[in-house]
């Protein structure tokens, strides 16, 4: 039945029932069946007459969509990354963008470390070997991997998640932590995660394990390509939990095949959910399907924060974590 006083919103990717329930108190909600990913055309069609949309990083909110959806007032991303938003176009159209920071920081850092460990210690490669029935005897160098404790941890992108990874490395694993970031952290923050600022060239040359946690922007595209990999130690490992496109996946696959670095762990990919076939063909890479923030409590918190942004903005004109707050003025 139509509810004329409630704004209409679209939940563009299936979320938890608890989140839908919370939204239904305030809105007429159109949901998306689990497993469905709308094409851009379908998304535009379903957004007709909607004041808000709950997106994941997979729905593109760009100038063309905004022009076709004049009633849209807010897009609430269920992710901290928001490279699916054209924020300039959203601001010009008077549409607020929000993201879901903080609630996923520690969980994502846990996973960054899990991927680092799995990569360095060859966890998935050795499991594949065992499951295939190849294990006939214990031997001294069987799947001998790279040391983690006491080595040098390099972090490219030192926001909240980068700092949480640094703390794990410094305090938990006795690592020397170096980082590179657009801007240097203040002294107290550096001291809290025992991290030292270095140039990108120094980071590449000195890291035993390099973790990428920078946001994706056009300037960050292929921040790690053949030239950067060539500056790394041949024994180094590389972990990407940031965004696909930050690494040149084809160049990385070539480097892994030629053992120019020891191994990589990737949770994000250029053009995901497709994965470059050359990556699938090399053994020394751990591949996971963009799950760094995937624990139930954290995914619930991310979804609830996105829902709360929709509710706060469409009922009171203020959002909790706005990306272009000038729209709220
Ligand atoms: C994020 O929050 O940006 C994660 O990558 C999930 O998309």
């Amino acid at each position: 039945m139509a509810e004329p006083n409630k704004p209409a919103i679209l939940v563009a990717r299936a979320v938890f029932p608890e989140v839908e329930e919370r939204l239904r108190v305030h809105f007429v909600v159109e949901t998306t069946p689990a497993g469905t990913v709308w094409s851009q055309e379908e998304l535009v069609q379903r957004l007709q007459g909607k004041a808000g949309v709950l997106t994941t990083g997979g729905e593109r909110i760009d100038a063309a969509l905004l022009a076709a959806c004049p009633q849209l007032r807010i897009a609430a991303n269920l992710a901290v990354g928001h490279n699916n938003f054209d924020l300039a176009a959203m601001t010009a159209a008077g549409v607020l963008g929000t993201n879901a920071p903080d609630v996923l920081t520690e969980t994502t850092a846990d996973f960054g470390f899990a991927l680092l460990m799995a990569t360095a210690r060859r966890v998935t490669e050795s499991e594949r070997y065992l499951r295939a029935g190849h294990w006939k005897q214990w031997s001294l160098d069987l799947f001998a991997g790279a040391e983690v404790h006491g080595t040098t941890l390099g972090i490219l992108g030192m926001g909240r998640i980068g700092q949480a990874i640094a703390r794990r490395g410094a305090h938990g694993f006795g690592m020397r932590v170096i980082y590179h970031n657009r801007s240097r952290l203040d002294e107290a923050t550096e001291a809290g995660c025992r991290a030292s600022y270095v140039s990108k060239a120094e980071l590449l040359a000195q890291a035993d394990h390099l973790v990428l946690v920078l946001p994706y922007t056009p300037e960050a595209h292929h921040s790690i390509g053949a030239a950067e990999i060539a500056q790394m130690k041949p024994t180094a490992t590389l972990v990407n939990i940031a965004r696909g496109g930050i690494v040149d996946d084809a160049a990385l696959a070539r480097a892994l095949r030629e053992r120019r670095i020891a191994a990589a762990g990737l949770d994000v990919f250029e053009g995901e959910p497709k994965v470059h076939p050359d990556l699938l063909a090399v053994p020394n890479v751990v591949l996971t399907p963009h799950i760094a923030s995937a624990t139930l409590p954290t995914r619930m918190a991310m979804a609830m924060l996105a829902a709360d942004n929709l509710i706060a903005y469409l009922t009171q004109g203020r959002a909790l974590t706005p990306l272009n707050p000038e729209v709220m003025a």
Side-chain angles (χ1 to χ4, degrees):
M1 198 200 297
E3 294 177 79
N5 297 325
K6 286 186 175 179
I9 64 156
L10 174 71
V11 175
R13 201 74 71 98
V15 293
F16 304 111
E18 296 89 327
V19 182
E20 273 183 44
E21 248 170 66
R22 186 183 298 205
L23 289 167
R24 284 189 201 286
V25 174
H26 303 274
F27 307 123
V28 175
V29 182
E30 179 178 337
T31 54
T32 301
T36 308
V37 178
W38 303 126
S39 68
Q40 199 69 4
E41 293 70 32
E42 284 168 318
L43 185 60
V44 166
Q45 206 184 327
R46 284 168 192 282
L47 279 175
Q48 295 311 302
K50 305 288 193 311
V53 58
L54 192 153
T55 51
T56 65
E59 290 75 38
R60 214 170 62 245
I61 305 296
D62 57 16
L65 178 141
L66 294 164
C69 306
Q71 282 168 307
L72 192 65
R73 295 181 52 212
I74 171 171
N77 227 25
L78 192 169
V80 67
H82 50 84
N83 51 304
N84 55 317
F85 285 177
D86 180 340
L87 268 188
M90 290 172 75
T91 304
V95 173
L96 185 73
T98 64
N99 69 339
D102 301 322
V103 290
L104 78 180
T105 299
E106 298 298 330
T107 300
T108 303
D110 285 348
F111 189 84
F113 232 89
L115 201 48
L116 186 164
M117 295 292 289
T119 302
R121 299 301 307 274
R122 306 175 66 181
V123 171
T124 56
E125 194 185 350
S126 60
E127 194 201 1
R128 283 196 299 275
Y129 169 91
L130 180 150
R131 283 179 185 274
H134 296 317
W135 189 30
K136 301 295 178 224
Q137 60 182 337
W138 185 91
S139 64
L140 206 54
D141 59 353
L142 186 64
F143 288 103
E147 209 71 87
V148 175
H149 71 273
T151 61
T152 297
L153 169 62
I155 301 176
L156 185 58
M158 198 63 155
R160 286 162 285 214
I161 298 171
Q163 290 169 38
I165 292 173
R167 287 193 299 273
R168 282 156 177 76
H171 300 293
F173 288 81
M175 297 170 93
R176 168 182 172 244
V177 181
I178 54 177
Y179 76 96
H180 184 73
N181 197 42
R182 267 177 309 191
S183 49
R184 187 172 175 172
L185 301 178
D186 61 61
E187 242 177 77
T189 312
E190 279 188 356
C193 43
R194 284 205 225 136
S196 310
Y197 181 82
V198 293
S199 69
K200 186 174 173 190
E202 288 168 322
L203 185 81
L204 293 168
Q206 293 176 24
D208 293 307
H209 305 286
L210 177 60
V211 182
L212 310 179
V213 212
L214 65 165
Y216 182 84
T217 58
E219 302 72 54
H221 185 73
H222 286 187
S223 291
I224 302 292
E228 288 74 21
I229 294 169
Q231 296 172 60
M232 294 173 68
K233 297 181 185 180
T235 49
T237 72
L238 174 71
V239 168
N240 186 8
I241 56 165
R243 275 290 181 272
I246 286 176
V247 174
D248 176 344
D249 285 349
L252 175 61
R254 211 165 34 247
L256 289 168
R257 197 171 51 238
E258 294 168 4
R259 305 273 166 177
R260 292 200 215 137
I261 58 171
L266 306 174
D267 187 48
V268 288
F269 305 87
E270 289 188 281
E272 63 184 51
K274 289 198 189 111
V275 175
H276 196 294
D278 293 355
L279 283 173
L280 295 170
V282 285
N284 47 340
V285 59
V286 180
L287 305 168
T288 53
H290 201 147
I291 55 168
S293 60
T295 65
L296 280 178
T298 292
R299 285 282 163 90
M300 179 65 84
M302 292 163 72
M304 284 297 187
L305 179 52
D308 287 345
N309 270 312
L310 285 164
I311 295 164
Y313 188 58
L314 291 178
T315 65
Q316 293 154 34
R318 308 300 304 169
L320 306 172
T321 50
L323 293 165
N324 50 349
E326 57 273 33
V327 169
M328 297 194 304

